[in-house]
């Protein structure tokens, strides 16, 4: 502990700096002005002044998803804090480490309906991993350190820290002590899998004739891609990823059968439905994957590995549950497999079964479920994604909003590495894409960052184009402009006999001019011949934000698509074509 004394506001900033935070996304207001005054007097922590607090949370979230860091947000009490609710829920649903520091009215005013008082701890309780209220300024270093620890360990998630104004008072000074070790009573996530369960996984997988690995976002969060690859190789098993896990195995890897679920590939869903053993790693069996739970993969033995015991058997019963961190459990499994003496002849038998399994899977692959018909000079959304993939050489960080464009990106841009694909999977938050791309660009200033968006979604946080100019963020925004809320239209086409209720904006802005008015470069593209060359020109502008407004075919649907209430593999692979 140093002899120097600090105010609560100074301690907030010093703690963040000491924890290695480089960027904080925020917006000032009365209750946090003491912190803002301290921010001005230092240069180790960069504050990013956003235009809307929801965007600050998505920026912190994007930064976190693309790194191993905790995203940090600073907002004022009342509306500043409530504007964060969607962003907190977005991070919570996808288990993203984030700390939100929210101002609060002075302690003696809490409960008085004071100006800009909101019970943000109450508002956010169901969508945070934990929250803290600060009762003494001297506790600030310890509270923020605990918040970081909780946010990034175990099953990660957002933590809210409420800071009453009187605890930030510049005239009240305290000694500063950053805890060297964090201890939180009753919080001890299980990291190692139970040895007996590991043995069971090994023997079950060794006996499997039709195994499949179903990898979820937990694999990305645990940075377990190398172990996933090792297990994949050992069994020569097919691998399918959830929307959240794309990139945890190279999209072009021969064992990768594509994303599974509602808009998953035919071969991924078929392989799941016909597997005899499913190794689920850090995945939730959510309804966008399973379709009708009562019809879910009836013939399979399900192994479910997750760090969160409450996720296991929540939606689908696990025959072999294993609580533990994915990378540690996979290390244990690989060690177990090394020590396993397969019975004589068993490995040849396994090889024969494996060959047969791949023959069946390759038969499903022959359906080419991602193929589509081109339409002359009209641009198909799939063509845009392919062109973006070409011009970025498959290397860019890609963020998306929510809708058809998100699914086209997920299906047609083969991601090479984990943390390259950044989207709101669990909450499905329109308005996520642009601010998330900004967070990514702050964390990776020299990398190419692309935001794939729709004409509905981009308007939900378009004000951040102004922030992009202030901080010179050279993001490339690719707008798949179909002139409607495409994903809603698709559902209305399929489930409501084409009755289109409230999906057309009759007053869309001129996006090119809008981007230019914010000080950026804008392009319009409306015919196929111009697509490649415009994207080449846009991506050649390395230090400018370029907004490319691309008119795409307005009636295109995303396929494949599961049938409502069906099994995982009850699917359409094209309009009216059953798989
Ligand atoms: C904040 C929010 N409101 C509503 C929805 C429901 N929703 C899901 S997709 C979608 C349409 C998205 O339209 P657009 O951004 O234009 O993308 P497109 O589907 O046309 O590619 C809507 C309204 C949502 N996901 N998020």
């Amino acid at each position: 502990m140093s002899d120097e004394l600090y105010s609560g506001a100074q301690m907030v900033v010093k703690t963040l700096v000491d924890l290695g935070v480089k960027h904080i996304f925020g917006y000032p207001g009365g209750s946090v002005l003491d912190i803002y005054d301290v921010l001005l007097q230092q240069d180790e922590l960069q504050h990013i002044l956003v235009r809307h607090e929801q965007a600050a949370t998505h920026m912190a979230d994007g930064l976190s998803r693309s790194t191993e860091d905790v995203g940090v947000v600073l907002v004022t009490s009342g509306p500043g804090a409530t504007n964060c609710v969607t962003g907190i829920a977005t991070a919570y649903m996808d288990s993203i480490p984030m700390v939100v520091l929210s101002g609060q009215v002075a302690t003696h005013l809490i409960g008085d309906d004071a100006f800009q008082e909101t019970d943000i701890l109450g508002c956010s309780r169901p969508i945070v991993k934990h929250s803290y209220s600060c009762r003494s300024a001297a506790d600030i270093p310890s509270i923020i350190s605990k918040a970081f620890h909780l946010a990034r360990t175990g099953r990660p998630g957002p933590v809210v820290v409420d800071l009453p104004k009187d605890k930030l008072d510049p005239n009240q000074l305290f000694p500063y002590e950053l805890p060297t070790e964090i201890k939180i009573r009753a919080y001890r996530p299980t990291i190692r899998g139970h040895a007996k369960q590991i043995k069971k996984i090994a023997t079950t997988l060794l006996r499997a004739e039709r195994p499949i690995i179903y990898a979820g976002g937990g694999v990305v969060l645990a940075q377990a891609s190398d172990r996933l690859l090792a297990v994949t190789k050992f069994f020569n098993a097919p691998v399918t990823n959830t929307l959240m896990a794309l990139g945890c195995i190279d999209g072009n890897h021969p064992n990768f059968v594509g994303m599974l679920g509602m808009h998953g590939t035919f071969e991924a869903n078929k392989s799941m439905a016909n597997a005899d053993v499913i190794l689920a790693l850090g995945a939730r069996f959510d309804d966008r994957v399973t379709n009708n739970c009562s019809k879910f993969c009836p013939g399979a033995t399900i192994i479910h590995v997750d760090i969160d015991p409450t996720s296991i058997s929540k939606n689908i019963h696990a025959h072999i549950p294993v609580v533990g961190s994915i990378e540690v459990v996979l290390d244990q499994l690989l060690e177990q497999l090394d020590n396993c003496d397969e019975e004589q002849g068993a490995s040849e038998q396994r090889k024969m079964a494996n060959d047969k399994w791949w023959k069946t899977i390759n038969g499903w692959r022959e359906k080419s479920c991602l193929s589509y018909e081109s339409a002359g000079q009209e641009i198909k959304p799939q063509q845009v994604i392919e062109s973006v993939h070409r011009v970025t050489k498959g290397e860019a960080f890609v963020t998306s909003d929510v809708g058809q464009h998100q699914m086209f990106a997920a299906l047609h841009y083969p991601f090479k590495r984990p943390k390259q694909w950044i989207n709101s999977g669990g909450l499905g938050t329109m308005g996520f894409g642009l601010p998330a791309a900004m967070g990514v660009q702050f964390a990776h200033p020299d990398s190419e960052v692309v935001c794939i968006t729709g004409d509905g979604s981009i308007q939900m946080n378009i004000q951040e184009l102004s922030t992009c100019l202030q901080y010179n963020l050279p993001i490339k925004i690719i707008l798949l402009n179909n002139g409607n809320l495409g994903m809603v239209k698709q559902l209305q086409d399929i489930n409501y006999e084409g009755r289109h209720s409230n999906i057309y904006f009759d007053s869309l802005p001129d996006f090119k001019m809008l981007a230019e008015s914010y000080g950026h470069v804008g392009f319009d593209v409306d015919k196929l011949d111009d697509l490649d060359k415009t994207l080449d020109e846009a991506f050649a502008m390395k230090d400018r934000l370029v907004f490319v407004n691309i008119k795409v075919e307005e009636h295109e649907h995303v396929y494949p698509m599961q049938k409502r209430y069906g099994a995982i593999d009850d699917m359409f692979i094209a309009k009216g074509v059953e798989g």
Side-chain angles (χ1 to χ4, degrees):
M1 192 176 7
S2 83
D3 293 339
E4 262 182 86
L5 298 178
Y6 296 83
S7 71
Q10 286 172 321
M11 284 203 254
V12 170
V13 175
K14 184 163 170 51
T15 308
L16 295 175
V17 170
D18 287 350
L19 290 173
V21 179
K22 297 275 179 289
H23 301 100
I24 180 167
F25 302 92
Y27 206 90
S31 67
V32 285
L33 287 186
D34 291 328
I35 302 179
Y36 274 84
D37 197 41
V38 176
L39 283 171
L40 199 59
Q41 295 161 36
Q42 56 82 52
D43 56 12
E44 287 171 280
L45 178 61
Q46 188 188 10
H47 177 272
I48 313 317
L49 178 61
V50 303
R51 303 299 181 262
H52 189 294
E53 290 89 347
Q54 181 191 344
T57 56
H58 297 327
M59 287 179 212
D61 182 321
L63 178 145
S64 180
R65 288 181 201 236
S66 67
T67 61
E68 283 126 54
D69 298 337
V70 177
V72 189
V73 176
L74 172 63
V75 291
T76 194
S77 63
T82 55
N83 272 350
C84 291
V85 168
T86 301
I88 296 171
T90 303
Y92 181 73
M93 291 292 280
D94 290 342
S95 307
I96 303 305
M98 178 191 290
V99 170
V100 178
L101 305 170
S102 65
Q104 185 52 280
V105 300
T107 312
H108 70 281
L109 292 174
I110 292 177
D112 283 0
D113 290 342
F115 177 63
Q116 295 195 326
E117 180 188 359
T118 301
D119 173 10
I120 192 61
L121 297 186
C123 291
S124 61
R125 185 141 292 141
I127 49 167
V128 292
K129 182 169 173 187
H130 197 64
S131 42
Y132 286 102
S133 174
C134 173
R135 303 228 175 93
S136 158
D139 294 341
I140 286 174
S142 139
I143 289 179
I144 294 181
S145 301
K146 283 182 186 164
F148 270 65
H149 179 71
L150 284 170
R152 65 178 152 210
T153 57
R155 178 177 182 171
V159 178
V160 171
V161 179
D162 208 29
L163 296 164
K165 186 168 170 57
D166 52 310
K167 308 301 176 214
L168 305 171
D169 186 347
N171 299 313
Q172 297 199 30
L173 305 180
F174 302 85
Y176 171 91
E177 190 175 3
L178 193 72
T180 46
E181 200 191 346
I182 306 289
K183 278 199 186 127
I184 299 170
R185 202 151 34 102
Y187 179 73
R188 225 169 295 117
T190 303
I191 304 298
R192 280 186 75 76
H194 194 288
K196 260 195 190 159
Q197 298 299 85
I198 304 287
K199 258 193 192 160
K200 260 196 209 168
I201 308 183
T203 44
T204 307
L205 282 169
L206 284 169
R207 277 191 215 128
E209 295 191 346
R210 299 179 310 283
I212 184 163
I213 301 175
Y214 152 39
V219 177
V220 177
L221 290 164
Q223 300 182 68
S225 284
D226 49 348
R227 275 80 155 191
L228 170 68
L229 210 56
V231 175
T232 304
K233 271 196 188 145
F234 188 97
F235 293 104
N236 190 25
V239 180
T240 179
N241 289 345
T242 64
L243 179 67
M244 290 306 299
L246 291 175
C248 77
I249 182 166
D250 188 328
N252 287 318
H253 193 285
N255 288 51
F256 182 56
V257 291
M259 179 171 86
L260 82 170
M262 185 168 180
H263 290 293
T265 65
F266 181 66
E267 50 269 37
N269 286 346
K270 274 281 174 205
S271 304
M272 284 289 285
N274 290 280
D276 62 350
V277 177
I278 295 173
L279 174 62
L281 302 169
R284 303 188 282 125
F285 293 85
D286 80 290
D287 53 287
R288 281 294 192 268
V289 162
T290 58
N291 212 4
N292 186 339
C293 281
S294 67
K295 298 182 181 172
F296 183 77
C297 306
T301 299
I302 294 176
I303 304 165
H304 191 174
V305 185
D306 206 289
I307 193 141
D308 177 6
T310 69
S311 269
I312 297 182
S313 293
K314 184 173 182 170
N315 300 329
I316 296 290
H317 174 71
H319 304 97
I320 308 179
V322 187
V323 181
S325 177
I326 305 293
E327 83 280 23
V328 175
V329 170
L330 291 186
D331 273 344
Q332 290 176 271
L333 174 62
L334 288 163
E335 202 181 320
Q336 180 72 39
L337 291 168
D338 271 351
N339 298 332
C340 261
D341 271 336
E342 269 191 293
E343 286 161 31
Q344 243 197 339
S347 75
E348 284 93 277
Q349 215 176 319
R350 195 153 55 80
K351 165 107 187 37
M352 270 165 55
N354 192 261
D355 287 348
K356 200 167 154 206
W357 183 214
W358 274 110
K359 221 170 146 201
T360 312
I361 294 170
N362 288 332
W364 293 321
R365 275 177 163 162
E366 275 166 25
K367 290 259 183 182
S368 303
C369 68
L370 295 179
S371 62
Y372 58 89
E373 278 173 29
S374 45
Q377 279 306 311
E378 252 191 307
I379 302 173
K380 292 278 186 150
Q382 298 91 327
Q383 291 170 319
V384 178
I385 306 297
E386 284 165 8
S387 189
V388 171
H389 184 257
R390 176 194 58 79
V391 71
T392 59
K393 301 185 176 66
E395 294 288 348
F397 284 99
V398 179
T399 74
S400 87
D401 270 297
V402 174
Q404 290 183 318
H405 59 276
Q406 174 190 27
M407 293 302 140
F408 286 125
L411 292 168
H412 294 273
Y413 193 114
F415 296 98
K416 285 186 177 170
R417 51 176 204 275
K419 293 181 176 271
Q420 185 187 2
W421 163 240
I422 284 161
N423 80 134
S424 164
L427 198 66
T429 307
M430 290 169 70
F432 176 83
L434 173 57
M438 295 165 70
V440 176
Q441 191 79 80
F442 275 111
H444 306 272
D446 300 324
S447 298
E448 213 151 52
V449 181
V450 184
C451 167
I452 307 278
T453 187
D455 44 302
S457 295
I458 191 64
Q459 295 187 80
M460 288 211 177
N461 267 316
I462 200 156
Q463 75 287 344
E464 298 307 320
L465 284 175
S466 166
T467 316
C468 288
L469 187 73
Q470 183 166 342
Y471 296 95
N472 297 320
L473 301 177
I475 295 165
K476 304 295 176 278
I477 299 174
I478 307 296
L479 171 57
L480 272 59
N481 190 342
N482 54 14
N484 59 64
L485 297 172
M487 191 54 101
V488 177
K489 175 176 176 293
Q490 175 163 348
L491 293 173
Q492 292 175 347
D493 283 340
I494 295 172
N495 299 329
Y496 296 86
E497 294 159 340
R499 290 188 300 280
H500 295 151
S501 174
N502 291 279
I503 54 155
Y504 291 106
F505 299 114
D506 294 333
S507 54
L508 278 180
D510 180 325
F511 286 107
K512 175 179 180 302
M513 277 171 60
L514 184 80
E516 287 167 355
S517 79
Y518 275 106
H520 302 300
V521 179
F523 287 117
D524 282 327
V525 185
D526 57 12
K527 57 177 200 295
L528 189 61
D529 278 349
D530 294 339
L531 179 63
D532 277 347
K533 57 181 186 235
T534 308
L535 289 186
D536 286 344
E537 202 179 333
F539 280 85
M541 295 185 189
K542 297 284 176 211
D543 53 358
R544 296 298 301 272
L545 183 149
V546 185
F547 191 122
V548 191
N549 173 37
I550 305 172
K551 187 172 182 300
V552 294
E553 215 266 88
E554 76 175 284
H555 299 296
E556 189 69 6
H557 283 180
V558 182
Y559 287 104
M561 184 176 179
Q562 286 172 334
K563 289 186 197 164
R564 270 209 295 186
Y565 315 125
I568 187 170
D569 60 336
D570 282 335
M571 310 182 73
F572 292 106
I573 53 170
K575 252 180 213 177
V577 181
E578 298 193 11

